[in-house]
Amino acid sequence: MAVTVEKVAALCRRRGFVYPSSDIYGGLGSAYDYGHYGVLMRQNIRGEWWRSMVQERDDMVALDSAIILNPKVWEASGHLATFTDPLVDCRTCKLRFRADDLDHASCGRKPSKHPGETQDCDLTEARAFNLMFETHIGPVRDSASVAYLRPETAQGIFVNFKNVTSSLRVKPPFGIAQIGKSFRNEITPGNFIFRLREFEQMEMEFFVPPAEGPTWHAYWIEERRNWHVSLGLRESRVRLRRHEGDELSHYSEATSDVEYEFPIGWLELEGIAYRTSFDLDQHSEHSGTKLEWIGHEERYVPHVVEPAGGVDRFMLAFLCDAYHEEEVAGRERTVLRLHPRLAPVKAAVLPLIGKNADMVSHARRLYEELRRAMSAEYDEDAAIGKRYRRQDEIGTPWALTIDDQTLADGTVTIRDRDSLHQDRIPIDGAKDLLLDKLEQPWSPEE
Ligand code: GAP
């Protein structure tokens, strides 16, 4: 059965991954709260990004900059002038649409058509609408106190270029990576957690000698595509797309997107932009502080390659790819075939009979050993089949069951979420076996 965003959203709500925000007050347009399993999964996504971008590299350092920056940052970056979407209003149905996306929008009349398609549609001229959220600093709300919630984490990196190069042992080519919340007053948010007004970005600015810019751009496009596939997105659903001239952002000389085939079509997962020296030049000019690399015998403004993705959007792609409905032994099962390293829970420990004190004590002991090394869950409620189904729905790759034989010979069954194959293994080696499995490459069936 075909996966839809609605099905994924329903599972997320039912199983405690994602809830509509402010739910008891009727929600808030396109705002979501993450429940227990959502939080665990997001930590894993961030963790995998961090591991590959920072931990396993020699040429990367970390940063965590403020969300509200000096407003001059946004003047220099060009966001105040150009971070806009073209907007049209319909005088008839009173709805607002992105002028460049009318083909994907539905007008407010029934049966629903695209805005502008019916005779009653009365669209205004397109106007530029700035996407930045405004706030005020201090007690006085006047034009001098206006500040902005950052629409991207990238600028926090550029304005710290001098701090980083003068305090840490770095030399181009090197990168600064950061994960954090960004905010955009999107005109048409939607499709669950695909486009939000408050979202989390994972961005890295890679500073290189200018002549090496195009080579590093190609390198990062490939690296980032491979990262998504290595974490289980099916290759047939991942592609690269180069931006055409008029699609390029104001700061970019070339951009390629890693796109994923969501149930709603091919859409951007991550953008890899070649920003040249645009940002460092702009901030040098506006701040009066020269942002450049000064080596022993050289001095230049580095060029920048930027892979920029989002935790929420990656999570939606991983969930859509993993979601399967199938029939097993005449019964329906819904399963999330997540890469084990992304799965919120790695192992469930289940005493076959929840009322058997010996089984329970063996199971608790194993569970307490496992949870020191990985996210694990203990469950003794309900029939074993039901407990397996519960774990399948949250994507737990392995279930370890304690039964009569465990009490006799110290072995447990290990059930594989995908193949449903069951093996017996010694209880003493279970933790090391799972840790080993977590390091193995994993790919879904195409
Ligand atoms: N610094 C460059 C930059 O911000 P972007 O293409 O606007 O580029 C990068 O954003 C990534 O951030 C996107 O590919 C997407 O994964 C995520 N993202 C952007 N806007 C988003 C939104 N409204 N909701 C969820 N994720 C978003």
Side-chain angles (χ1 to χ4, degrees), residues 52-281:
S52 78
M53 299 296 274
V54 183
Q55 191 177 318
E56 292 182 353
R57 297 188 67 100
D58 295 332
D59 54 4
M60 202 69 68
V61 292
L63 183 77
D64 191 349
S65 67
I67 285 174
I68 300 176
L69 303 175
N70 187 316
K72 288 181 188 155
V73 169
W74 307 112
E75 226 175 275
S77 69
H79 282 81
L80 275 177
T82 58
F83 195 55
T84 56
D85 274 345
L87 164 86
V88 294
D89 289 301
C90 176
R91 296 186 188 92
T92 313
C93 67
K94 311 284 182 228
L95 291 180
R96 183 165 277 189
F97 309 99
R98 271 175 65 157
D100 56 351
D101 200 28
L102 294 179
D103 287 351
H104 288 109
S106 305
C107 95
R109 307 178 73 78
K110 298 273 181 269
S112 185
K113 299 246 176 162
H114 298 310
E117 266 189 0
T118 76
Q119 279 197 333
D120 295 331
C121 293
D122 184 7
L123 302 183
T124 61
E125 288 293 308
R127 286 179 294 134
F129 174 77
N130 194 291
L131 300 183
M132 285 204 291
F133 272 105
E134 253 183 51
T135 185
H136 290 266
I137 294 180
V140 183
R141 295 175 69 85
D142 61 14
S143 59
S145 67
V146 170
Y148 303 91
L149 304 189
R150 66 180 175 200
E152 62 172 20
T153 59
Q155 296 304 323
I157 297 179
F158 297 125
V159 298
N160 273 292
F161 179 79
K162 193 159 186 242
N163 287 333
V164 171
T165 49
S166 57
S167 62
L168 298 170
R169 287 188 305 117
V170 290
K171 177 180 187 308
F174 78 95
I176 305 178
Q178 122 157 289
I179 299 179
K181 289 263 185 174
S182 292
F183 303 82
R184 296 181 190 177
N185 199 359
E186 301 276 4
I187 305 166
T188 51
N191 283 317
F192 191 36
I193 53 174
F194 179 82
R195 195 183 304 286
L196 301 165
R197 295 199 169 100
E198 173 183 338
F199 56 99
E200 192 163 332
Q201 285 192 308
M202 301 187 286
E203 297 198 290
M204 188 278 285
E205 309 302 322
F206 203 67
F207 300 91
V208 304
E212 296 177 19
T215 310
W216 282 107
H217 189 215
Y219 166 86
W220 280 110
I221 292 169
E222 207 44 39
E223 277 289 297
R224 295 305 305 149
R225 191 206 82 96
N226 293 347
W227 182 86
H228 292 282
V229 172
S230 77
L231 285 171
L233 290 190
R234 273 166 280 184
E235 288 214 71
S236 60
R237 295 199 178 161
V238 177
R239 74 178 185 193
L240 294 171
R241 191 182 65 80
R242 214 182 146 83
H243 284 207
E244 300 299 329
D246 61 348
E247 198 187 345
L248 285 173
S249 306
H250 62 277
Y251 51 73
S252 175
E253 183 166 302
T255 295
S256 282
D257 287 345
V258 179
E259 290 192 334
Y260 175 72
E261 190 178 18
F262 288 92
I264 41 178
W266 285 98
L267 292 166
E268 173 188 341
L269 198 51
E270 166 160 6
I272 299 101
Y274 178 25
R275 297 180 79 127
T276 64
S277 60
F278 176 86
D279 304 272
L280 293 181
D281 288 341

Side-chain angles (χ1 to χ4, degrees), residues 401-413 424-428:
T401 305
I402 312 293
D403 54 16
D404 276 328
Q405 200 176 326
T406 313
L407 309 181
D409 66 5
T411 61
V412 292
T413 62
R424 281 207 89 84
I425 57 164
I427 200 166
D428 288 341

Side-chain angles (χ1 to χ4, degrees), residues 19-66:
Y19 311 117
S21 188
S22 325
D23 203 10
I24 58 171
Y25 289 102
L28 174 72
S30 277
Y32 290 91
D33 298 337
Y34 291 95
H36 181 68
Y37 295 122
V39 172
L40 295 179
M41 186 173 168
R42 286 161 66 77
Q43 270 177 359
N44 295 339
I45 294 172
R46 282 188 214 107
E48 287 304 317
W49 190 85
W50 200 254
R51 169 156 119 144
S52 78
M53 299 296 274
V54 183
Q55 191 177 318
E56 292 182 353
R57 297 188 67 100
D58 295 332
D59 54 4
M60 202 69 68
V61 292
L63 183 77
D64 191 349
S65 67

